[in-house]
Amino acid sequence: MLKITILGSTGSIGRQTLEVIDGLKNIEVESLTTNVNIEIMFNQIKKYKPSIVCVVNEKKGEELKTELKEKGIDVEVIVGVNGLVKVATLDKITLVVNAVVGNVGLIPTLEGIRNKKNIALANKETLVTAGKIVMEEAKKNKVSIMPIDSEHCAIYQCLEGNKKREVEKIILTASGGAFRDKTIKELEDVTLDEALTHPNWSMGKKITIDSATLVNKGLEVIEAKWLFDIDFKNIEVVIHRQSIIHSMVEYVDGSIIAQLGTSDMRTPIQYCLTYPKRVKNKFKKFNFWENGELTFSKPDTIKFPGLKYAFDALEEGGLMPTVYNSANEKAVELFLSNEIKFLDIYIIILDAMKTYKVRNIQDYKLEDIIEIDNSVKKYVENKWRKK
């Protein structure tokens, strides 16, 4: 019996994870967490009967406690960020599914690893900001980190059974996002609703905006560098509009292995939950006759400079990827609240990277990452938040 904690169970990935579990045997949901969405959490508690849940927002947590008590449902409710750590380190669990958004997922993941829990990771920021520390801890504690992201899960599968020294490069595919056909001029006045309409995938708001800016692909480049222990100069991004090939690995002999399938996040989620086995499911299967065209092109880093900034951050090294991520995280928050324009996201990221000179900080600790993350977000907040 696989006993799991799902961090961020009320979000897009969290809900799809539970949907996958519905079709599997021998998986028990021990714990669930949310930030504020207690309506969905209440229904999840009734269905999956976890022993403990965490609500990060303390006020919402108290509301959930009251509702559960009134309905006679007995489940322990804890609150706050420390609650995430507690449910990620429960003695009963063997797997933590990290599906939260932002740097809030970092510490629970690290503590889960230190307590010998395997990780199914959908939270990019954990490896983007602290990849070196996280991977060292995973190796030290002999736990596995399975990537849920469709691109990284694809790479993981393409590497199976092959030798690392034979890898020439990793090729990440990108749909191009909602604005792949717009000009820079047209991007000046795009609306929030337009940015939240992804052409291929159904995802949460933050990742959908990141996809529209191509920053999401930048985050994935940084994540891949740590996850697969590869030089970022051997990572390439290709625009593949159909999102059929989820990513590829090229080997030294010129052979390229690709992982293909429908645009359905449940497939990589199930792969992580059932690995090393593959289990039959009822998901829609790929039909070659209905998908007669595969196209590839170079990403336009003039129109979408956020991708270039990710490579720049890796080139500078140190804590610069943390600055990149933190500035973007706050910029997307401001865009989602209609306080900045779409193109301002790039301006904010570049400004933060120029302001924070952290390239020489190589021997950094978790405390340094947290300090820089807070500092960058406060800097962006003070400079761009409407008064």
Side-chain angles (χ1 to χ4, degrees):
M1 178 69 71
L2 178 65
K3 296 189 176 185
I4 70 172
T5 284
I6 303 176
L7 305 180
S9 65
T10 61
S12 175
I13 295 296
R15 295 196 305 272
Q16 290 180 84
T17 299
L18 289 169
E19 187 178 341
V20 169
I21 289 171
D22 289 341
L24 298 174
K25 298 177 181 178
N26 300 321
I27 297 183
E28 184 176 318
V29 178
E30 190 68 29
S31 179
L32 301 168
T33 84
T34 188
N35 182 20
V36 295
N37 202 331
I38 58 173
E39 291 84 3
I40 294 178
M41 173 64 76
F42 181 80
N43 291 326
Q44 290 178 349
I45 290 170
K46 287 197 299 181
K47 181 173 181 179
Y48 297 98
K49 298 178 174 55
S51 64
I52 182 172
V53 300
C54 171
V55 182
V56 177
N57 183 288
E58 296 187 15
K59 181 180 178 181
K60 289 292 185 179
E62 294 304 319
E63 290 179 17
L64 181 61
K65 287 180 185 178
T66 300
E67 185 175 6
L68 290 168
K69 186 176 181 180
E70 290 175 351
K71 297 291 173 37
I73 298 174
D74 185 22
V75 60
E76 183 180 358
V77 179
I78 56 177
V79 298
V81 176
N82 289 337
L84 294 177
V85 173
K86 182 174 180 179
V87 299
T89 57
L90 295 171
D91 289 339
K92 294 180 180 179
I93 67 167
T94 53
L95 178 71
V96 177
V97 177
N98 183 345
V100 299
V101 176
N103 271 341
V104 70
L106 172 56
I107 294 177
T109 299
L110 270 175
E111 290 306 312
I113 290 170
R114 288 165 179 163
N115 282 269
K116 315 297 183 184
K117 313 301 181 186
N118 291 323
I119 308 294
L121 189 65
N123 174 251
K124 292 180 176 63
E125 293 83 357
T126 291
L127 290 181
V128 170
T129 61
K132 177 182 176 183
I133 295 172
V134 171
M135 296 311 292
E136 285 176 353
E137 286 290 336
K139 183 177 181 181
K140 175 182 174 183
N141 289 281
K142 298 179 180 178
V143 302
S144 63
I145 298 180
M146 292 287 294
I148 286 179
D149 270 351
S150 61
E151 294 84 357
H152 297 93
C153 187
I155 294 165
Y156 195 98
Q157 294 177 67
C158 292
L159 290 170
E160 282 285 301
N162 293 290
K163 296 179 176 63
K164 179 189 168 185
R165 66 175 181 271
E166 295 174 349
V167 173
E168 181 71 22
K169 63 182 174 182
I170 283 173
I171 304 167
L172 292 165
T173 56
S175 69
F179 304 137
R180 59 196 181 191
D181 295 321
K182 289 188 178 293
T183 65
I184 295 177
K185 182 66 177 176
E186 290 172 327
L187 290 177
E188 292 178 2
D189 297 309
V190 295
T191 67
L192 177 57
D193 285 343
E194 288 174 323
L196 287 172
T197 305
H198 194 280
N200 299 337
W201 296 91
S202 175
M203 305 179 292
K205 289 184 178 180
K206 200 264 182 182
I207 191 174
T208 304
I209 300 302
D210 285 346
S211 178
T213 61
L214 280 194
V215 167
N216 188 51
K217 210 51 53 176
L219 296 172
E220 289 177 6
V221 168
I222 300 171
E223 186 180 5
K225 180 249 188 301
W226 294 111
L227 191 58
F228 303 111
D229 189 23
I230 188 170
D231 192 306
F232 71 91
K233 294 176 183 177
N234 297 106
I235 303 174
E236 188 175 279
V237 175
V238 173
I239 301 298
H240 170 52
R241 300 168 71 92
Q242 295 81 15
S243 294
I244 291 171
I245 295 177
H246 300 307
S247 277
M248 300 169 271
V249 175
E250 181 179 325
Y251 290 89
V252 292
D253 63 352
S255 297
I256 298 175
I257 297 179
Q259 190 267 336
L260 295 76
T262 57
S263 301
D264 188 339
M265 281 304 303
R266 294 174 301 174
T267 303
I269 290 170
Q270 179 175 297
Y271 183 81
C272 290
L273 294 181
T274 63
Y275 182 84
K277 296 180 180 179
R278 292 186 185 269
V279 178
K280 191 175 182 62
N281 57 48
K282 296 181 180 179
F283 308 157
K284 182 180 178 181
K285 300 301 185 284
F286 182 76
N287 186 313
F288 279 94
W289 321 130
E290 294 174 358
N291 297 273
E293 183 179 43
L294 301 180
T295 61
F296 307 95
S297 60
K298 288 184 178 181
D300 186 342
T301 55
I302 303 297
K303 186 165 64 173
F304 301 109
L307 176 57
K308 177 183 180 299
Y309 298 158
F311 281 97
D312 291 343
L314 285 169
E315 184 76 48
E316 292 222 8
L319 289 167
M320 192 55 76
T322 301
V323 175
Y324 171 83
N325 175 75
S326 302
N328 175 68
E329 200 171 310
K330 179 57 70 171
V332 171
E333 179 187 313
L334 292 170
F335 179 66
L336 287 171
S337 59
N338 285 304
E339 296 191 64
I340 63 171
K341 290 188 174 184
F342 181 79
L343 292 179
D344 289 335
I345 295 173
Y346 301 128
I347 296 172
I348 289 171
I349 294 172
L350 184 59
D351 175 50
M353 289 176 67
K354 287 182 175 179
T355 300
Y356 284 80
K357 301 301 179 184
V358 292
R359 75 171 73 186
N360 294 323
I361 305 175
Q362 301 296 334
D363 189 25
Y364 51 84
K365 298 179 175 61
L366 180 60
E367 294 76 14
D368 300 317
I369 293 170
I370 295 171
E371 181 182 347
I372 287 293
D373 176 57
N374 291 333
S375 178
V376 171
K377 288 176 179 174
K378 185 176 181 180
Y379 170 78
V380 174
E381 173 90 12
N382 291 338
K383 190 168 183 177
W384 290 86
R385 177 79 72 181
K386 291 179 180 177
K387 308 301 181 184

